Amino acid sequence: MKAAVLTVQALERESFAPFGDVIETEAAARHFSINEGNTERYHDLARIDPGAEGRAIVSIFRGLPRALPFEISMMERHPRASQAFVPLSGRPYLVAVAPAGPAPRLEDIRVYACRGSQGVNYAAGVWHHPLMALDDVSDFLVIDRDGPGENCDVVQLERTGLITKPEVQAALGGA
């Protein structure tokens, strides 16, 4: 069966809200001056949830770039805790998400093109595709959970979805 082309949209706080938080320094984010006016603090940008008996840990993931077109055939979720990704390399990347709950169908998946200045925090249980760097090897600061119990479910999709270069370029504003 031929993969269905997935629509890609620019990452925006409102449309991503059902899946978690967008982490970025924008005018809408609560911010204020600290350190005698030398630093602007963008405050409380994501709800980090380490889950019961868990603790928040900080890691760096180094992602190899995905070649476009790219076919999505699986999704994963972390049922016990949130998982935040903040790009360190300043490069655009993609996220594919589906609502928490039963295994997602292709129709449930939303794909977002993220600027290199935007991070995401997946809420606990939200289905997502593993890291999708674009163009070059990219590093991400990751805040997630360490603790007892399994915290990663993986499912294969019944139908695959295709992310194309024109869709990504359009979502990034022609970049």
Side-chain angles (χ1 to χ4, degrees), residues 25-125:
T25 56
E26 64 170 340
R30 183 173 164 221
H31 59 98
F32 47 90
S33 182
I34 62 171
N35 299 332
E36 299 174 335
N38 190 59
T39 303
E40 191 72 8
R41 177 178 176 146
Y42 289 82
H43 186 71
D44 196 17
L45 298 175
R47 183 176 170 354
I48 303 301
D49 175 11
E53 299 181 36
R55 68 181 184 90
I57 61 171
V58 176
S59 305
I60 293 178
F61 288 16
R62 181 162 289 156
L64 299 176
R66 306 286 183 153
L68 297 175
F70 178 73
E71 198 166 306
I72 291 182
S73 61
M74 58 80 71
M75 298 286 277
E76 68 179 31
R77 69 175 174 185
H78 304 285
R80 296 179 181 269
S82 64
Q83 187 178 45
F85 287 80
V86 179
L88 298 176
S89 302
R91 293 185 190 90
Y93 64 102
L94 300 172
V95 297
V97 291
R105 297 168 303 142
L106 188 61
E107 300 77 34
D108 301 326
I109 297 173
R110 301 292 173 262
V111 181
Y112 292 92
C114 309
R115 297 185 312 271
S117 60
Q118 296 176 300
V120 296
N121 181 46
Y122 302 124

